[in-house]
Amino acid sequence: MNKVYLPPSRIGVIGGGQLGRMLAFEAKRMGYEVFVLDPKENSPAGQVSDFQFVASFDDFEALLSLAQKTDIITYEFEHINVEHLLRLKEMGYKIYPSPETLKIIQNKYLQREYLKRLGLPVPKFKRVESFEDLIIKAGQFSFPLMLKHARGGYDGKGNILIKGQKDLEEFKNFDFKREIFIEEYINFKKEISIILCRNLDGDLKFYLPFENYHEDSILKITKCPADIKEDVKKEAINIAKAVLEGFDDVGVFCIEMFLDYDDRIYINEIAPRVHNSGHLTIEAFVSSQFENHLRSIANLPLGSTELLKRAAMINILGDRKLTGKYTIEGFKDLLKMDGIYVHLYGKDFVDNKKKIGHVTVIGETDEEINEKIEFVKNNLKIGEFNG
Amino acid sequence: MNKVYLPPSRIGVIGGGQLGRMLAFEAKRMGYEVFVLDPKENSPAGQVSDFQFVASFDDFEALLSLAQKTDIITYEFEHINVEHLLRLKEMGYKIYPSPETLKIIQNKYLQREYLKRLGLPVPKFKRVESFEDLIIKAGQFSFPLMLKHARGGYDGKGNILIKGQKDLEEFKNFDFKREIFIEEYINFKKEISIILCRNLDGDLKFYLPFENYHEDSILKITKCPADIKEDVKKEAINIAKAVLEGFDDVGVFCIEMFLDYDDRIYINEIAPRVHNSGHLTIEAFVSSQFENHLRSIANLPLGSTELLKRAAMINILGDRKLTGKYTIEGFKDLLKMDGIYVHLYGKDFVDNKKKIGHVTVIGETDEEINEKIEFVKNNLKIGEFNG
């Protein structure tokens, strides 16, 4: 029998951003205590948690304190020193998803290798160790192709599109020690994501595929359910399940996939955590990804992933440098329409392209959802806050 | 044009209990800052708010600090020193609902008088100033009748049932200086409540009537929608609207009503705040009572009160003295059923009959809801927490 963590057990969350914040809302609602670790004081998650350790994610002593003070540790982003987590796990602390899984996922090249070994569909890819190597390997692909950093990228950072032979010349003085690989460019018609969860007892549940729209490589809109054929949906779900079962791990995972014009599926990226494309599960599904992540890591029965209403999520991104407090100028107009939920993350300044909130809309038909998306886009405007 | 308070405006909440906690969840979600005042450190609401003043509700200086540090003040319970609030209002601070309304509602006798003057249906009642007066006035009623304290009672405290003439003798040495009145006893077949909200611009929205079941005068179960005839429903809604329009006030109000066996409606009590019977609005309606209270006091357009799913709420009450931490022993079994939401308030000990949490269930049919209520009742058991 695997241990069940009942409230008021204490959940430790590495990372104090919006994902941690929404996780904290659900954890507190269910009666758990929440301790957060983030270098930024009064972080979005810290504001609504019982305690925040203000420390760097690289600070082993701080991570150890978090572990000592809590019953289970989880995280809301991937860029954590995984060696520290492995050490904590060796010391007997509970960390979900496992550091071993995180270690694979953190490195996009290892992640691709891993998925390939499982027989799952990924774009064709090859490690590149030098400029000469790049020229040779690129010759085995057709243009355009992607050059990717194995580590450290998110929101498309670290990915470079190579359109043709002459783009390659630009990499003559490139630092190939940084773990680089090239990859077939997938001309996709859709990007979908599947969020699923698994608890220690091995129960697994998944949400219907979501459809994602990016702008400048940052997620802008998610719609649910995705408009894809029934057999593609089934295949995508089977792939997502195979990923999570492959890891034999615990928690919420998000599997992002490309769908090309022949309806072929390619896994794009895996996130071993609650995900931006799953925000709409708060309003649109019986149990949210945040509740199900908690249920997974506490080894409780998983909550229903039944759809209640069609929904879409629109990210609110900072569009200029603003120091000091800001507000949503169109807030009042926005709330004139029914079935609109504004989430602001309590961040105290707006950076360019930083996610500062999101809006979820619910509705009956795809048409209604599209109208509401337009309404939100037309009314959202970030302005200065004048008390 | 009335001022609109956009996030991150700061909401001050007097009272740090579960109602304040759920209000804070919604306020933080929408990007507001929340400051709470409660005498108990680390109160349920304080745990999830930006700041808690630890002070007595009678402490004017503390209330003043709360007012100075926040943009709008609201409260989650009625037993506040209303003279202090009136003084703060005179000083220019914004307090919703208004202290004038609270002053009337705090005093159950004044509340009855007020409603009677508005022509609204209340049980027959009479002020009683001495034992002799009691004997005379009781003669104008039929037994059984209720003897009530005008001030300080909640959850039925301060209400005494007088079954017959000889019960009156017990009041020979009673302190009638405490503002007493007697009241016709309503032999009700149902208790219903209507939650409505109104913003500064005068927009008003109401939720469908809920049906409430008490045990030992404490709310145990709320079901929605109430099983009442269509014309009774309409009349109840009209009465509730008349109450709120009568006060010409701002915020969420709960109007509790009795329905006798002839389907006559009597107003039982008014709460100028979010209410226990409205907890299920979180899961069962498009916008919750908590969001709508915030929208009301911030003078934003009100959220939809459309029902999403049938629902019921079951209060979790402490059933014995336990010091230290406790947990819900049946928690794991409880979560095996779909559409069950456990809310625990983060209170750190169980007092007899104290509300420590609630469970909301959603479903398609009344039968399904009743099954889930039974399931919850059979599985909920409070036990010691052993980490």
Side-chain angles (χ1 to χ4, degrees):
Chain A
M1 277 288 282
N2 291 307
K3 185 170 159 74
V4 174
Y5 294 90
L6 297 178
S9 297
R10 205 174 272 170
I11 316 285
V13 184
I14 305 174
Q18 58 267 24
L19 293 162
R21 181 177 172 101
M22 288 180 267
L23 197 62
F25 281 143
E26 289 288 57
K28 292 298 296 175
R29 191 257 296 161
M30 292 171 78
Y32 288 97
E33 294 184 2
V34 182
F35 277 39
V36 170
L37 187 149
D38 195 278
K40 203 171 157 292
E41 227 172 310
N42 198 34
S43 67
Q47 291 169 27
V48 296
S49 296
D50 294 279
F51 187 77
Q52 180 183 336
F53 290 94
V54 180
S56 156
F57 299 124
D58 284 328
D59 181 342
F60 179 76
E61 291 307 317
L63 288 165
L64 178 62
S65 297
L66 181 71
Q68 285 167 338
K69 293 278 186 198
T70 57
D71 297 298
I72 332 168
I73 284 190
T74 190
Y75 41 89
E76 57 128 40
F77 79 122
E78 293 94 309
H79 303 289
I80 309 166
N81 184 322
V82 75
E83 301 305 327
H84 287 352
L85 296 192
L86 285 164
R87 212 171 129 196
L88 291 176
K89 188 177 171 184
E90 259 168 44
M91 293 166 81
Y93 296 109
K94 304 287 175 199
I95 304 171
Y96 301 115
S98 77
E100 289 82 358
T101 298
L102 180 62
K103 193 170 182 172
I104 294 168
I105 289 176
Q106 266 185 352
N107 185 307
K108 287 183 197 164
Y109 181 75
L110 288 185
Q111 193 190 120
R112 286 275 185 264
E113 283 272 298
Y114 178 83
L115 294 170
K116 196 178 159 192
R117 221 176 310 135
L118 282 176
L120 296 170
V122 288
K124 193 177 142 191
F125 66 100
K126 279 215 150 58
R127 185 90 161 75
V128 169
E129 315 222 10
S130 66
F131 178 64
E132 292 68 31
D133 200 25
L134 172 65
I135 301 294
I136 296 165
K137 302 269 174 70
Q140 301 164 12
F141 286 70
S142 53
F143 292 107
L145 58 83
M146 298 299 295
L147 184 142
K148 293 190 169 181
H149 289 74
R151 292 172 182 279
Y154 64 94
D155 283 347
K157 291 180 188 78
N159 296 345
I160 302 161
L161 180 70
I162 299 179
K163 289 177 186 158
Q165 195 70 36
K166 81 171 193 281
D167 284 3
L168 292 177
E169 295 304 316
E170 281 167 38
F171 293 90
K172 226 165 194 164
N173 300 313
F174 194 76
D175 177 11
F176 284 93
K177 285 193 195 78
R178 286 189 287 165
E179 277 196 75
I180 302 297
F181 63 102
I182 56 171
E183 187 172 273
E184 164 190 18
Y185 174 81
I186 305 298
N187 185 21
F188 61 92
K189 70 171 179 190
K190 275 184 201 296
E191 202 219 85
I192 61 171
S193 57
I194 295 185
I195 290 178
L196 15 59
C197 52
R198 191 164 174 270
N199 66 14
L200 209 53
D201 283 346
D203 297 336
L204 183 151
K205 287 205 178 178
F206 59 86
Y207 295 87
L208 286 176
F210 306 151
E211 193 166 331
N212 300 319
Y213 302 87
H214 289 74
E215 269 173 31
D216 302 327
S217 296
I218 299 172
L219 182 65
K220 184 70 193 173
I221 292 172
T222 297
K223 282 176 67 177
C224 171
D227 179 23
I228 53 176
K229 290 188 195 135
E230 200 55 34
D231 57 332
V232 175
K233 189 173 103 182
K234 274 189 192 145
E235 195 192 337
I237 290 166
N238 284 337
I239 291 169
K241 282 166 140 178
V243 173
L244 190 44
E245 276 159 2
F247 285 123
D248 189 24
D249 213 338
V250 166
V252 158
F253 281 67
C254 176
I255 322 294
E256 288 181 63
M257 302 178 215
F258 291 138
L259 210 63
D260 73 11
Y261 286 84
D262 298 318
D263 272 343
R264 267 189 305 248
I265 297 170
Y266 302 84
I267 299 175
N268 177 34
E269 235 172 79
I270 301 172
R273 53 167 171 82
V274 288
H275 192 262
N276 193 168
S277 68
H279 290 355
L280 51 68
T281 58
I282 295 172
E283 289 92 0
F285 289 82
V286 172
S287 299
S288 74
Q289 66 167 347
F290 303 101
E291 170 158 7
N292 266 330
H293 185 62
L294 289 163
R295 291 198 191 200
S296 297
I297 66 176
N299 202 29
L300 288 163
L302 300 173
S304 164
T305 53
E306 185 200 330
L307 184 75
L308 289 169
K309 289 261 187 190
R310 279 181 173 274
M313 187 259 350
I314 301 100
N315 268 338
I316 309 176
L317 304 174
D319 61 354
R320 50 179 160 148
K321 284 262 177 208
L322 262 183
T323 48
K325 288 185 176 181
Y326 57 87
T327 193
I328 306 300
E329 282 177 1
F331 202 82
K332 185 169 180 176
D333 291 323
L334 208 59
L335 295 186
K336 280 182 185 157
M337 192 171 268
D338 283 344
I340 289 198
Y341 303 88
V342 181
H343 296 248
L344 292 175
Y345 305 147
K347 297 183 180 179
D348 56 4
F349 58 88
V350 181
D351 269 335
N352 198 28
K353 295 295 174 197
K354 187 172 169 177
K355 294 167 189 167
I356 57 168
H358 73 270
V359 179
T360 302
V361 303
I362 60 171
E364 298 297 331
T365 61
D366 192 43
E367 205 179 17
E368 186 185 339
I369 293 295
N370 287 336
E371 273 171 28
K372 287 189 176 176
I373 290 172
E374 282 312 302
F375 180 78
V376 171
K377 282 161 90 180
N378 293 337
N379 277 289
L380 261 184
K381 211 178 126 199
I382 297 165
E384 273 173 72
F385 178 69
N386 302 308
Chain B
M1 278 285 285
N2 291 306
K3 185 169 158 71
V4 174
Y5 293 90
L6 297 179
S9 297
R10 206 174 268 169
I11 315 286
V13 184
I14 306 174
Q18 57 267 24
L19 293 162
R21 180 179 174 98
M22 287 181 268
L23 198 60
F25 281 143
E26 289 288 56
K28 291 299 295 174
R29 191 256 296 160
M30 292 170 77
Y32 288 98
E33 294 184 3
V34 182
F35 277 39
V36 170
L37 187 149
D38 195 277
K40 206 171 152 293
E41 226 172 309
N42 197 33
S43 67
Q47 290 168 29
V48 296
S49 297
D50 294 278
F51 186 78
Q52 180 183 335
F53 290 94
V54 180
S56 158
F57 300 123
D58 285 327
D59 180 342
F60 179 76
E61 291 306 316
L63 288 166
L64 179 61
S65 298
L66 181 71
Q68 285 167 337
K69 293 278 187 196
T70 57
D71 298 297
I72 333 167
I73 285 190
T74 189
Y75 41 88
E76 56 129 40
F77 78 122
E78 294 92 310
H79 303 289
I80 308 166
N81 185 322
V82 76
E83 301 306 328
H84 287 351
L85 296 192
L86 285 164
R87 213 171 126 197
L88 290 176
K89 189 179 170 182
E90 261 169 43
M91 292 166 80
Y93 296 108
K94 303 287 176 199
I95 305 170
Y96 301 114
S98 77
E100 289 82 357
T101 298
L102 181 62
K103 192 169 182 172
I104 294 167
I105 289 176
Q106 267 186 351
N107 184 311
K108 287 183 196 163
Y109 181 76
L110 287 185
Q111 191 189 122
R112 286 274 185 266
E113 282 271 298
Y114 178 83
L115 294 169
K116 197 178 159 191
R117 223 177 307 134
L118 282 176
L120 296 170
V122 288
K124 193 176 142 190
F125 66 100
K126 280 218 146 58
R127 184 93 160 76
V128 168
E129 316 223 7
S130 66
F131 179 65
E132 293 68 31
D133 199 27
L134 172 65
I135 300 294
I136 293 164
K137 302 268 174 68
Q140 300 164 12
F141 285 71
S142 53
F143 291 107
L145 58 85
M146 298 300 295
L147 182 141
K148 292 189 170 182
H149 289 74
R151 292 172 181 280
Y154 65 96
D155 284 347
K157 290 179 189 80
N159 296 346
I160 302 160
L161 180 71
I162 298 179
K163 289 178 185 157
Q165 195 71 36
K166 84 171 191 296
D167 284 2
L168 291 176
E169 295 304 316
E170 282 169 35
F171 292 90
K172 223 163 199 166
N173 300 313
F174 193 76
D175 178 11
F176 283 93
K177 284 194 197 79
R178 287 189 286 165
E179 277 196 76
I180 302 296
F181 63 102
I182 56 172
E183 186 172 274
E184 166 188 19
Y185 174 82
I186 305 297
N187 185 21
F188 61 93
K189 69 171 177 188
K190 275 185 200 297
E191 200 219 85
I192 61 171
S193 58
I194 294 185
I195 289 177
L196 14 60
C197 52
R198 191 166 175 271
N199 66 14
L200 208 55
D201 283 344
D203 297 335
L204 184 152
K205 288 206 176 177
F206 59 87
Y207 295 87
L208 287 174
F210 306 151
E211 191 166 332
N212 301 319
Y213 302 87
H214 290 75
E215 268 173 31
D216 303 327
S217 296
I218 299 172
L219 182 64
K220 185 68 192 172
I221 292 171
T222 297
K223 281 175 69 176
C224 170
D227 178 23
I228 53 176
K229 288 185 196 138
E230 201 54 34
D231 58 332
V232 176
K233 191 174 101 181
K234 275 189 192 144
E235 195 191 339
I237 290 167
N238 285 336
I239 290 169
K241 282 166 136 179
V243 173
L244 189 43
E245 276 158 1
F247 284 123
D248 189 24
D249 213 337
V250 165
V252 157
F253 280 68
C254 176
I255 321 295
E256 287 182 64
M257 304 178 214
F258 290 137
L259 211 64
D260 74 10
Y261 287 84
D262 298 319
D263 273 342
R264 268 189 303 248
I265 297 170
Y266 303 84
I267 299 175
N268 177 33
E269 235 170 81
I270 300 171
R273 55 168 171 83
V274 287
H275 192 260
N276 193 166
S277 67
H279 290 356
L280 50 69
T281 59
I282 294 173
E283 289 92 359
F285 289 82
V286 172
S287 299
S288 74
Q289 67 167 345
F290 302 102
E291 170 157 8
N292 266 329
H293 185 62
L294 289 163
R295 290 198 192 200
S296 299
I297 66 176
N299 202 29
L300 288 163
L302 300 173
S304 163
T305 53
E306 184 201 329
L307 185 73
L308 289 170
K309 289 263 187 185
R310 282 180 170 272
M313 188 254 357
I314 302 100
N315 268 337
I316 309 176
L317 305 173
D319 62 354
R320 51 181 157 140
K321 284 263 178 209
L322 263 183
T323 49
K325 288 185 176 182
Y326 56 86
T327 194
I328 306 300
E329 283 177 1
F331 202 83
K332 185 170 180 173
D333 291 323
L334 208 59
L335 295 187
K336 280 182 185 157
M337 192 172 267
D338 283 344
I340 289 198
Y341 303 87
V342 181
H343 297 246
L344 292 175
Y345 305 146
K347 298 184 180 178
D348 58 2
F349 58 88
V350 182
D351 268 336
N352 200 28
K353 295 294 173 197
K354 185 172 169 176
K355 293 168 190 168
I356 57 167
H358 74 270
V359 179
T360 302
V361 303
I362 60 171
E364 298 297 332
T365 62
D366 192 44
E367 205 180 16
E368 186 185 340
I369 293 294
N370 287 336
E371 271 171 31
K372 287 190 175 174
I373 291 172
E374 281 313 302
F375 179 78
V376 171
K377 282 161 91 178
N378 292 337
N379 277 291
L380 261 184
K381 213 177 126 201
I382 296 164
E384 276 173 70
F385 177 69
N386 301 307

